[in-house]
Amino acid sequence: RIYVEVKRQINNAKQVPMILFAREVKITLDELHKHCGYEVYAVGWGKEANVARREIGHAATLQGNLDPWCLFGSDDMIKRKVYTMLDEFDVGSYDRKRLIVNLGHGMMPGMRPQSVAKVIE
């Protein structure tokens, strides 16, 4: 209902993707997509990335979490964590849809700004 009402109020609504973060929902993402129709589904810590990808397939884009604590690590460790996340979301097999990389809970005091640059790199 919210999706429909917001889309109704936006000019060029088809060009504006909406993201749903349904934390700890008890149904699969494909079932949720049938009921809600969002373009993007955010995946929380409680759902494994490979399970989320398998459930939604090509039907929608996923937004996934990179553990923000990894930014306290070395550049090599950050790189490994990013590649692991990309593998878990199976971005190679599902190249028709994008993965939106999300930094979990975001930046924390003491994190090196250069660490974010390493994630983007």
Side-chain angles (χ1 to χ4, degrees):
R1 223 169 76 187
I2 294 170
Y3 175 88
V4 171
E5 184 60 26
V6 170
K7 286 285 190 174
R8 187 184 67 73
Q9 294 180 30
I10 298 175
N11 292 333
N12 300 317
K14 290 183 180 181
Q15 297 174 356
V16 180
M18 290 182 57
I19 301 171
L20 176 65
F21 178 49
R23 187 173 185 188
E24 299 179 26
V25 65
K26 302 298 182 205
I27 61 174
T28 61
L29 287 177
D30 56 335
E31 284 295 314
L32 187 62
H33 186 62
K34 287 178 194 173
H35 295 291
C36 299
Y38 281 75
E39 292 83 14
V40 181
Y41 294 91
V43 178
W45 297 102
K47 187 172 236 14
E48 292 182 32
N50 59 347
V51 171
R53 177 55 74 196
R54 190 171 46 247
E55 289 176 358
I56 202 68
H58 292 287
T61 298
L62 294 175
Q63 176 179 309
N65 290 325
L66 180 64
D67 182 354
W69 289 99
C70 81
L71 295 187
F72 285 112
S74 68
D75 287 352
D76 286 338
M77 198 261 297
I78 293 169
K79 183 178 178 179
R80 283 193 311 274
K81 291 287 190 178
V82 168
Y83 279 108
T84 297
M85 180 190 63
L86 295 175
D87 287 343
E88 289 172 351
F89 277 101
D90 200 7
V91 295
S93 297
Y94 291 91
D95 58 357
R96 293 189 311 173
K97 293 289 182 183
R98 290 174 278 171
L99 168 67
I100 299 170
V101 175
N102 181 49
L103 186 59
H105 298 342
M107 295 288 291
M108 292 179 264
M111 285 183 169
R112 300 176 299 133
Q114 299 87 345
S115 297
V116 176
K118 186 51 84 175
V119 170
I120 295 167
E121 192 179 288

